[in-house]
Amino acid sequence: MQIASTNKHDTMKSKPTFFISSTIYDFADLRSAIKYYLEQQGCVVLASEFNDFGQPLDEHSYGACLKQIQVADYFVLLIGSRIGGWYDKGDRISITRKEFRAAYELHAQGQLKIITFVRADVWTVKEDRKVLVKYLEKLDLNDAAKQQISNAPSKAVEDAQFIIDFLEEVGRNKETAEAAKSGEPPPSGNWIYSFSKFEDVISVLQSQVFAGLAKVHAANRRILRNELLRMLTSILSKSTEGKTYFPEYRIDELAKKYPIQGDDIGKKISIERHDLEMLFMIMVDQSRKISTLQVIERVLATDTFLEYDDESGNLREHPIYDALISLQSEVFDRNNFDRKLISEIGLALQAHPKVQKIAIPALQLLPIQGLFDRSVNIVRICKAILLHFDGNQYVAPKLRHRSPITDQKQQLDHERVAIADVENFINQ
């Protein structure tokens, strides 16, 4: 995942870490929604009210929060109407404000990025108070009275002056004014985004954090879609009426009518002439090689179909990732079909022009049935992926067995070594 990395993390980091800072009570639903959204993007989210925050039992929760900020790549600050818990009540420093100051120190060192959101109604209170203060300056009132009026309680905020001061600090207003006077570079990390609904927050995260990522994934899906469509052109057929089809039902009929048993190896199987002609025609049609898998290989080398797993803390493959791996294997086996069998079946038909049943060695039929099975699987996998790209829920297709020998399929599948078997072997 190519998300902007910071100096303390190398560019190979695949799970960007977010720390969500805010008062808990009034942001509970939003914090949960943001956490869910970010984790769906493959990110790690540190939110103190969740069990996966990693709370040390021998440390105060405030200290644990400040320590966790140090491992974050992004600090998401939510400012609302409440102060929250005091970190230092005498100096009017809330724990949220303390977290922000700790984050800004890391930001100044190039180790963390800050994204700040403020509720739209709270931002309106701030702007209204600025107008009110200017108006009070014109009135013949003493400073104490002006201060009392400007700090009057509001339904929108718990402590208007505290929230305004906090927003001024986050916006680096004083530093910006001083930089303008001195000609020094202005401070960074001072953007504040006003929001009124969840979509406002997500749009900022998408543009500031995942800029280009969604485009890369969309581009990968688009070029992969084109490759799958081209792949199907090598397998599908077109009738004289111009209808595109795949002869799966014919393949099924032949497989059911002439099943290959383990005892048939070394023997010949008698096939009716019209069935053998049908088998020959399908074989000619399905023997065309699939020319390229370059896009699939390239997409598999990216994180387009990787997801972050909360339980294991690792990236896991999306079902489409596994489907593409299977598709590679099916195409490889299909392309390795021995095309000399086509001429052998053709010669058998020519040698017995009037015979209604022709005996064919089972060893010839095995690779032919294997070719048909591979084609069926390729069509099913491509169709399932393309339907998903069109907005449908992905449904893993049922694939044919690797061996066409009907009475040995279960045994062969049982004996085949899977990745899970290899992992168990390594851990023995």
Short mmCIF file of all heavy atoms in Angstrom, two decimals, residues 172-228:
data_model
loop_
_atom_site.label_atom_id
_atom_site.label_comp_id
_atom_site.label_asym_id
_atom_site.label_seq_id
_atom_site.Cartn_x
_atom_site.Cartn_y
_atom_site.Cartn_z
N ARG A 172 -2.46 27.24 14.57
CA ARG A 172 -1.17 27.92 14.65
C ARG A 172 -1.31 29.40 14.23
O ARG A 172 -0.49 29.95 13.49
CB ARG A 172 -0.11 27.25 13.77
CG ARG A 172 -0.09 25.74 13.76
CD ARG A 172 -0.05 25.10 15.11
NE ARG A 172 1.20 25.32 15.83
CZ ARG A 172 1.47 24.74 17.01
NH1 ARG A 172 0.55 23.95 17.58
NH2 ARG A 172 2.59 24.98 17.62
N ASN A 173 -2.37 30.06 14.73
CA ASN A 173 -2.66 31.43 14.30
C ASN A 173 -1.55 32.42 14.69
O ASN A 173 -1.15 33.26 13.89
CB ASN A 173 -4.00 31.88 14.90
CG ASN A 173 -5.17 31.14 14.28
OD1 ASN A 173 -4.99 30.12 13.62
ND2 ASN A 173 -6.38 31.64 14.49
N LYS A 174 -1.05 32.30 15.93
CA LYS A 174 -0.01 33.22 16.38
C LYS A 174 1.27 33.02 15.58
O LYS A 174 1.91 33.98 15.14
CB LYS A 174 0.26 33.02 17.87
CG LYS A 174 -0.88 33.47 18.77
CD LYS A 174 -0.52 33.31 20.23
CE LYS A 174 -1.64 33.79 21.14
NZ LYS A 174 -1.31 33.61 22.58
N GLU A 175 1.67 31.75 15.39
CA GLU A 175 2.89 31.46 14.65
C GLU A 175 2.78 31.93 13.20
O GLU A 175 3.75 32.41 12.60
CB GLU A 175 3.20 29.96 14.67
CG GLU A 175 3.58 29.42 16.05
CD GLU A 175 2.38 28.88 16.78
OE1 GLU A 175 1.28 29.45 16.61
OE2 GLU A 175 2.53 27.91 17.54
N THR A 176 1.58 31.78 12.63
CA THR A 176 1.37 32.22 11.25
C THR A 176 1.52 33.73 11.12
O THR A 176 2.16 34.23 10.18
CB THR A 176 -0.03 31.78 10.76
OG1 THR A 176 -0.14 30.36 10.85
CG2 THR A 176 -0.26 32.21 9.32
N ALA A 177 0.94 34.47 12.10
CA ALA A 177 1.04 35.93 12.09
C ALA A 177 2.49 36.38 12.26
O ALA A 177 2.97 37.30 11.58
CB ALA A 177 0.16 36.52 13.18
N GLU A 178 3.22 35.71 13.17
CA GLU A 178 4.62 36.06 13.40
C GLU A 178 5.47 35.75 12.17
O GLU A 178 6.38 36.52 11.82
CB GLU A 178 5.15 35.30 14.61
CG GLU A 178 4.52 35.75 15.93
CD GLU A 178 4.93 34.86 17.09
OE1 GLU A 178 5.68 33.87 16.84
OE2 GLU A 178 4.49 35.12 18.22
N ALA A 179 5.17 34.64 11.50
CA ALA A 179 5.92 34.28 10.29
C ALA A 179 5.69 35.30 9.19
O ALA A 179 6.60 35.62 8.42
CB ALA A 179 5.50 32.88 9.83
N ALA A 180 4.47 35.81 9.11
CA ALA A 180 4.16 36.81 8.09
C ALA A 180 4.95 38.09 8.32
O ALA A 180 5.39 38.75 7.36
CB ALA A 180 2.66 37.10 8.08
N LYS A 181 5.16 38.43 9.59
CA LYS A 181 5.91 39.64 9.91
C LYS A 181 7.40 39.46 9.68
O LYS A 181 8.09 40.36 9.19
CB LYS A 181 5.66 40.04 11.38
CG LYS A 181 4.25 40.50 11.66
CD LYS A 181 4.10 40.84 13.13
CE LYS A 181 2.68 41.30 13.46
NZ LYS A 181 2.53 41.61 14.92
N SER A 182 7.91 38.28 10.05
CA SER A 182 9.36 38.05 9.99
C SER A 182 9.84 37.54 8.64
O SER A 182 11.03 37.57 8.35
CB SER A 182 9.76 37.05 11.07
OG SER A 182 9.17 35.78 10.81
N GLY A 183 8.90 37.05 7.84
CA GLY A 183 9.30 36.48 6.56
C GLY A 183 9.75 35.04 6.66
O GLY A 183 10.21 34.46 5.67
N GLU A 184 9.64 34.45 7.87
CA GLU A 184 10.01 33.04 8.05
C GLU A 184 8.92 32.14 7.47
O GLU A 184 7.76 32.56 7.30
CB GLU A 184 10.17 32.75 9.55
CG GLU A 184 11.33 33.48 10.20
CD GLU A 184 12.67 33.00 9.67
OE1 GLU A 184 12.79 31.78 9.38
OE2 GLU A 184 13.59 33.82 9.54
N PRO A 185 9.25 30.89 7.17
CA PRO A 185 8.23 29.96 6.66
C PRO A 185 7.11 29.77 7.68
O PRO A 185 7.38 29.63 8.88
CB PRO A 185 9.01 28.66 6.44
CG PRO A 185 10.43 29.09 6.31
CD PRO A 185 10.59 30.29 7.20
N PRO A 186 5.87 29.75 7.27
CA PRO A 186 4.76 29.55 8.20
C PRO A 186 4.73 28.11 8.70
O PRO A 186 5.30 27.21 8.06
CB PRO A 186 3.52 29.88 7.36
CG PRO A 186 3.95 29.58 5.95
CD PRO A 186 5.40 29.94 5.88
N PRO A 187 4.08 27.86 9.83
CA PRO A 187 4.02 26.49 10.37
C PRO A 187 3.15 25.59 9.51
O PRO A 187 2.26 26.06 8.79
CB PRO A 187 3.39 26.70 11.76
CG PRO A 187 2.57 27.94 11.61
CD PRO A 187 3.35 28.82 10.67
N SER A 188 3.43 24.31 9.58
CA SER A 188 2.63 23.32 8.83
C SER A 188 1.74 22.56 9.81
O SER A 188 1.80 22.77 11.02
CB SER A 188 3.54 22.35 8.09
OG SER A 188 4.36 21.65 9.01
N GLY A 189 0.93 21.67 9.28
CA GLY A 189 0.07 20.85 10.12
C GLY A 189 -1.05 21.61 10.77
O GLY A 189 -1.57 21.19 11.81
N ASN A 190 -1.46 22.75 10.18
CA ASN A 190 -2.46 23.59 10.82
C ASN A 190 -3.80 23.61 10.09
O ASN A 190 -4.66 24.44 10.38
CB ASN A 190 -1.94 25.03 10.93
CG ASN A 190 -1.76 25.69 9.57
OD1 ASN A 190 -1.44 25.02 8.60
ND2 ASN A 190 -1.97 26.99 9.52
N TRP A 191 -3.98 22.69 9.14
CA TRP A 191 -5.26 22.64 8.44
C TRP A 191 -6.35 22.14 9.39
O TRP A 191 -6.15 21.18 10.14
CB TRP A 191 -5.17 21.71 7.24
CG TRP A 191 -4.45 22.28 6.07
CD1 TRP A 191 -3.11 22.19 5.81
CD2 TRP A 191 -5.01 23.06 5.02
NE1 TRP A 191 -2.80 22.85 4.65
CE2 TRP A 191 -3.95 23.40 4.13
CE3 TRP A 191 -6.29 23.50 4.73
CZ2 TRP A 191 -4.15 24.15 2.99
CZ3 TRP A 191 -6.49 24.25 3.59
CH2 TRP A 191 -5.44 24.57 2.73
N ILE A 192 -7.52 22.79 9.34
CA ILE A 192 -8.67 22.37 10.14
C ILE A 192 -9.85 22.20 9.19
O ILE A 192 -10.21 23.14 8.46
CB ILE A 192 -9.02 23.40 11.23
CG1 ILE A 192 -7.84 23.58 12.18
CG2 ILE A 192 -10.27 22.95 12.01
CD1 ILE A 192 -8.08 24.64 13.26
N TYR A 193 -10.44 21.01 9.18
CA TYR A 193 -11.55 20.72 8.28
C TYR A 193 -12.86 20.71 9.07
O TYR A 193 -13.01 19.99 10.06
CB TYR A 193 -11.36 19.36 7.61
CG TYR A 193 -10.10 19.27 6.78
CD1 TYR A 193 -8.92 18.78 7.33
CD2 TYR A 193 -10.09 19.70 5.46
CE1 TYR A 193 -7.75 18.71 6.58
CE2 TYR A 193 -8.93 19.64 4.70
CZ TYR A 193 -7.77 19.13 5.26
OH TYR A 193 -6.63 19.07 4.51
N SER A 194 -13.79 21.52 8.62
CA SER A 194 -15.11 21.56 9.23
C SER A 194 -15.97 20.43 8.67
O SER A 194 -15.91 20.14 7.47
CB SER A 194 -15.77 22.91 8.96
OG SER A 194 -17.09 22.94 9.44
N PHE A 195 -16.75 19.79 9.52
CA PHE A 195 -17.60 18.69 9.05
C PHE A 195 -18.95 18.72 9.76
O PHE A 195 -19.07 19.20 10.89
CB PHE A 195 -16.92 17.34 9.28
CG PHE A 195 -16.95 16.88 10.71
CD1 PHE A 195 -17.94 16.00 11.15
CD2 PHE A 195 -16.01 17.34 11.63
CE1 PHE A 195 -17.97 15.58 12.48
CE2 PHE A 195 -16.03 16.92 12.95
CZ PHE A 195 -17.02 16.04 13.38
N SER A 196 -19.93 18.19 9.08
CA SER A 196 -21.26 18.04 9.69
C SER A 196 -21.78 16.62 9.59
O SER A 196 -22.74 16.26 10.26
CB SER A 196 -22.26 19.00 9.01
OG SER A 196 -22.32 18.75 7.61
N LYS A 197 -21.15 15.81 8.74
CA LYS A 197 -21.58 14.41 8.60
C LYS A 197 -20.36 13.54 8.32
O LYS A 197 -19.28 14.03 7.99
CB LYS A 197 -22.62 14.25 7.50
CG LYS A 197 -22.23 14.78 6.13
CD LYS A 197 -23.40 14.69 5.16
CE LYS A 197 -23.01 15.15 3.76
NZ LYS A 197 -22.61 16.56 3.74
N PHE A 198 -20.56 12.24 8.46
CA PHE A 198 -19.47 11.27 8.33
C PHE A 198 -18.82 11.35 6.95
O PHE A 198 -17.59 11.23 6.83
CB PHE A 198 -20.03 9.86 8.58
CG PHE A 198 -19.02 8.76 8.40
CD1 PHE A 198 -17.89 8.69 9.21
CD2 PHE A 198 -19.20 7.78 7.44
CE1 PHE A 198 -16.96 7.68 9.06
CE2 PHE A 198 -18.28 6.77 7.28
CZ PHE A 198 -17.17 6.72 8.09
N GLU A 199 -19.62 11.58 5.92
CA GLU A 199 -19.08 11.64 4.56
C GLU A 199 -18.05 12.76 4.41
O GLU A 199 -17.11 12.64 3.61
CB GLU A 199 -20.20 11.83 3.54
CG GLU A 199 -21.09 10.61 3.35
CD GLU A 199 -22.14 10.48 4.43
OE1 GLU A 199 -22.17 11.34 5.35
OE2 GLU A 199 -22.94 9.52 4.36
N ASP A 200 -18.22 13.85 5.17
CA ASP A 200 -17.25 14.95 5.10
C ASP A 200 -15.87 14.50 5.58
O ASP A 200 -14.85 14.87 5.01
CB ASP A 200 -17.74 16.13 5.95
CG ASP A 200 -19.07 16.69 5.47
OD1 ASP A 200 -19.38 16.52 4.28
OD2 ASP A 200 -19.80 17.28 6.29
N VAL A 201 -15.88 13.70 6.64
CA VAL A 201 -14.62 13.20 7.19
C VAL A 201 -13.96 12.24 6.21
O VAL A 201 -12.75 12.32 5.95
CB VAL A 201 -14.87 12.50 8.55
CG1 VAL A 201 -13.58 11.86 9.07
CG2 VAL A 201 -15.42 13.49 9.57
N ILE A 202 -14.75 11.33 5.65
CA ILE A 202 -14.21 10.33 4.74
C ILE A 202 -13.63 10.97 3.49
O ILE A 202 -12.57 10.56 3.00
CB ILE A 202 -15.30 9.31 4.36
CG1 ILE A 202 -15.75 8.54 5.59
CG2 ILE A 202 -14.79 8.35 3.29
CD1 ILE A 202 -14.64 7.89 6.36
N SER A 203 -14.30 12.01 2.97
CA SER A 203 -13.79 12.65 1.76
C SER A 203 -12.42 13.28 2.00
O SER A 203 -11.55 13.26 1.13
CB SER A 203 -14.78 13.71 1.27
OG SER A 203 -14.90 14.77 2.21
N VAL A 204 -12.21 13.83 3.21
CA VAL A 204 -10.90 14.41 3.54
C VAL A 204 -9.85 13.30 3.65
O VAL A 204 -8.74 13.43 3.12
CB VAL A 204 -10.98 15.22 4.85
CG1 VAL A 204 -9.57 15.65 5.28
CG2 VAL A 204 -11.87 16.44 4.66
N LEU A 205 -10.19 12.23 4.35
CA LEU A 205 -9.23 11.12 4.50
C LEU A 205 -8.86 10.54 3.14
O LEU A 205 -7.70 10.21 2.89
CB LEU A 205 -9.82 10.04 5.40
CG LEU A 205 -10.01 10.40 6.88
CD1 LEU A 205 -10.70 9.29 7.62
CD2 LEU A 205 -8.67 10.71 7.52
N GLN A 206 -9.84 10.42 2.26
CA GLN A 206 -9.56 9.86 0.93
C GLN A 206 -8.61 10.76 0.15
O GLN A 206 -7.70 10.28 -0.53
CB GLN A 206 -10.87 9.68 0.17
CG GLN A 206 -11.71 8.52 0.68
CD GLN A 206 -13.05 8.42 -0.03
OE1 GLN A 206 -13.51 9.39 -0.62
NE2 GLN A 206 -13.66 7.26 0.03
N SER A 207 -8.82 12.06 0.25
CA SER A 207 -7.99 12.98 -0.54
C SER A 207 -6.62 13.21 0.08
O SER A 207 -5.62 13.35 -0.63
CB SER A 207 -8.71 14.32 -0.70
OG SER A 207 -8.90 14.95 0.56
N GLN A 208 -6.54 13.22 1.43
CA GLN A 208 -5.29 13.54 2.09
C GLN A 208 -4.42 12.31 2.36
O GLN A 208 -3.20 12.42 2.38
CB GLN A 208 -5.57 14.25 3.41
CG GLN A 208 -6.21 15.61 3.25
CD GLN A 208 -5.33 16.56 2.47
OE1 GLN A 208 -4.12 16.59 2.65
NE2 GLN A 208 -5.94 17.36 1.61
N VAL A 209 -5.05 11.17 2.58
CA VAL A 209 -4.30 9.98 2.95
C VAL A 209 -4.20 8.99 1.80
O VAL A 209 -3.14 8.47 1.49
CB VAL A 209 -4.95 9.29 4.17
CG1 VAL A 209 -4.16 8.03 4.54
CG2 VAL A 209 -5.03 10.24 5.34
N PHE A 210 -5.33 8.74 1.17
CA PHE A 210 -5.37 7.70 0.15
C PHE A 210 -5.34 8.27 -1.26
O PHE A 210 -5.80 7.63 -2.20
CB PHE A 210 -6.63 6.84 0.33
CG PHE A 210 -6.72 6.21 1.69
CD1 PHE A 210 -7.60 6.70 2.64
CD2 PHE A 210 -5.90 5.15 2.02
CE1 PHE A 210 -7.67 6.13 3.90
CE2 PHE A 210 -5.97 4.57 3.28
CZ PHE A 210 -6.85 5.06 4.22
N ALA A 211 -4.85 9.49 -1.41
CA ALA A 211 -4.77 10.11 -2.73
C ALA A 211 -3.94 9.23 -3.65
O ALA A 211 -2.79 8.93 -3.36
CB ALA A 211 -4.16 11.49 -2.64
N GLY A 212 -4.51 8.81 -4.74
CA GLY A 212 -3.80 7.97 -5.69
C GLY A 212 -3.98 6.49 -5.43
O GLY A 212 -3.93 5.69 -6.35
N LEU A 213 -4.24 6.10 -4.17
CA LEU A 213 -4.35 4.69 -3.86
C LEU A 213 -5.59 4.09 -4.51
O LEU A 213 -5.52 3.06 -5.17
CB LEU A 213 -4.42 4.50 -2.34
CG LEU A 213 -4.50 3.05 -1.85
CD1 LEU A 213 -3.24 2.31 -2.25
CD2 LEU A 213 -4.69 3.01 -0.35
N ALA A 214 -6.74 4.76 -4.33
CA ALA A 214 -7.96 4.26 -4.94
C ALA A 214 -7.84 4.24 -6.45
O ALA A 214 -8.35 3.33 -7.12
CB ALA A 214 -9.15 5.12 -4.51
N LYS A 215 -7.14 5.24 -7.01
CA LYS A 215 -6.96 5.28 -8.45
C LYS A 215 -6.12 4.11 -8.93
O LYS A 215 -6.39 3.53 -9.97
CB LYS A 215 -6.32 6.61 -8.86
CG LYS A 215 -7.20 7.82 -8.62
CD LYS A 215 -6.49 9.10 -9.05
CE LYS A 215 -7.37 10.31 -8.80
NZ LYS A 215 -6.68 11.58 -9.17
N VAL A 216 -5.07 3.79 -8.17
CA VAL A 216 -4.21 2.66 -8.54
C VAL A 216 -5.01 1.37 -8.51
O VAL A 216 -4.93 0.55 -9.43
CB VAL A 216 -3.00 2.57 -7.59
CG1 VAL A 216 -2.24 1.27 -7.82
CG2 VAL A 216 -2.08 3.76 -7.80
N HIS A 217 -5.79 1.17 -7.46
CA HIS A 217 -6.60 -0.05 -7.36
C HIS A 217 -7.62 -0.11 -8.48
O HIS A 217 -7.86 -1.18 -9.07
CB HIS A 217 -7.29 -0.10 -6.00
CG HIS A 217 -6.35 -0.40 -4.89
ND1 HIS A 217 -6.74 -0.52 -3.57
CD2 HIS A 217 -5.01 -0.61 -4.88
CE1 HIS A 217 -5.69 -0.78 -2.81
NE2 HIS A 217 -4.63 -0.85 -3.59
N ALA A 218 -8.25 1.03 -8.78
CA ALA A 218 -9.23 1.06 -9.86
C ALA A 218 -8.58 0.75 -11.20
O ALA A 218 -9.14 0.02 -12.03
CB ALA A 218 -9.91 2.43 -9.90
N ALA A 219 -7.37 1.29 -11.39
CA ALA A 219 -6.65 1.03 -12.65
C ALA A 219 -6.29 -0.45 -12.75
O ALA A 219 -6.41 -1.05 -13.83
CB ALA A 219 -5.40 1.89 -12.72
N ASN A 220 -5.85 -1.04 -11.64
CA ASN A 220 -5.52 -2.47 -11.65
C ASN A 220 -6.73 -3.32 -11.99
O ASN A 220 -6.65 -4.29 -12.75
CB ASN A 220 -4.95 -2.89 -10.30
CG ASN A 220 -3.52 -2.45 -10.11
OD1 ASN A 220 -2.83 -2.15 -11.08
ND2 ASN A 220 -3.06 -2.40 -8.88
N ARG A 221 -7.88 -2.95 -11.42
CA ARG A 221 -9.10 -3.69 -11.72
C ARG A 221 -9.49 -3.54 -13.19
O ARG A 221 -9.96 -4.50 -13.82
CB ARG A 221 -10.24 -3.21 -10.82
CG ARG A 221 -10.11 -3.66 -9.37
CD ARG A 221 -11.11 -2.93 -8.49
NE ARG A 221 -11.01 -3.39 -7.11
CZ ARG A 221 -11.85 -4.21 -6.52
NH1 ARG A 221 -12.88 -4.67 -7.20
NH2 ARG A 221 -11.70 -4.58 -5.26
N ARG A 222 -9.31 -2.35 -13.72
CA ARG A 222 -9.70 -2.10 -15.10
C ARG A 222 -8.83 -2.91 -16.07
O ARG A 222 -9.34 -3.56 -16.99
CB ARG A 222 -9.60 -0.61 -15.42
CG ARG A 222 -10.09 -0.25 -16.82
CD ARG A 222 -10.29 1.23 -16.98
NE ARG A 222 -9.06 1.99 -16.73
CZ ARG A 222 -8.84 2.74 -15.67
NH1 ARG A 222 -9.78 2.83 -14.72
NH2 ARG A 222 -7.71 3.41 -15.51
N ILE A 223 -7.51 -2.87 -15.89
CA ILE A 223 -6.65 -3.63 -16.81
C ILE A 223 -6.80 -5.13 -16.59
O ILE A 223 -6.66 -5.92 -17.53
CB ILE A 223 -5.18 -3.20 -16.66
CG1 ILE A 223 -4.65 -3.46 -15.24
CG2 ILE A 223 -4.99 -1.75 -17.04
CD1 ILE A 223 -3.17 -3.15 -15.08
N LEU A 224 -7.09 -5.53 -15.33
CA LEU A 224 -7.33 -6.94 -15.08
C LEU A 224 -8.62 -7.38 -15.76
O LEU A 224 -8.69 -8.48 -16.33
CB LEU A 224 -7.42 -7.20 -13.57
CG LEU A 224 -7.74 -8.63 -13.14
CD1 LEU A 224 -6.69 -9.60 -13.67
CD2 LEU A 224 -7.81 -8.72 -11.61
N ARG A 225 -9.63 -6.53 -15.70
CA ARG A 225 -10.89 -6.84 -16.38
C ARG A 225 -10.66 -7.06 -17.87
O ARG A 225 -11.17 -8.02 -18.46
CB ARG A 225 -11.88 -5.71 -16.15
CG ARG A 225 -13.21 -5.88 -16.88
CD ARG A 225 -14.08 -4.64 -16.76
NE ARG A 225 -15.29 -4.78 -17.53
CZ ARG A 225 -16.39 -5.36 -17.09
NH1 ARG A 225 -16.44 -5.83 -15.87
NH2 ARG A 225 -17.46 -5.47 -17.86
N ASN A 226 -9.87 -6.19 -18.48
CA ASN A 226 -9.60 -6.32 -19.91
C ASN A 226 -8.86 -7.62 -20.21
O ASN A 226 -9.14 -8.28 -21.22
CB ASN A 226 -8.77 -5.13 -20.39
CG ASN A 226 -9.57 -3.84 -20.40
OD1 ASN A 226 -10.80 -3.87 -20.48
ND2 ASN A 226 -8.89 -2.71 -20.29
N GLU A 227 -7.93 -8.01 -19.34
CA GLU A 227 -7.20 -9.26 -19.58
C GLU A 227 -8.12 -10.46 -19.45
O GLU A 227 -8.03 -11.42 -20.23
CB GLU A 227 -6.02 -9.39 -18.62
CG GLU A 227 -5.27 -10.71 -18.81
CD GLU A 227 -3.85 -10.66 -18.31
OE1 GLU A 227 -3.01 -10.03 -18.98
OE2 GLU A 227 -3.59 -11.26 -17.24
N LEU A 228 -9.01 -10.44 -18.47
CA LEU A 228 -9.94 -11.56 -18.30
C LEU A 228 -10.87 -11.67 -19.50
O LEU A 228 -11.20 -12.78 -19.95
CB LEU A 228 -10.75 -11.38 -17.01
CG LEU A 228 -9.97 -11.40 -15.70
CD1 LEU A 228 -10.90 -11.22 -14.51
CD2 LEU A 228 -9.16 -12.68 -15.56
#
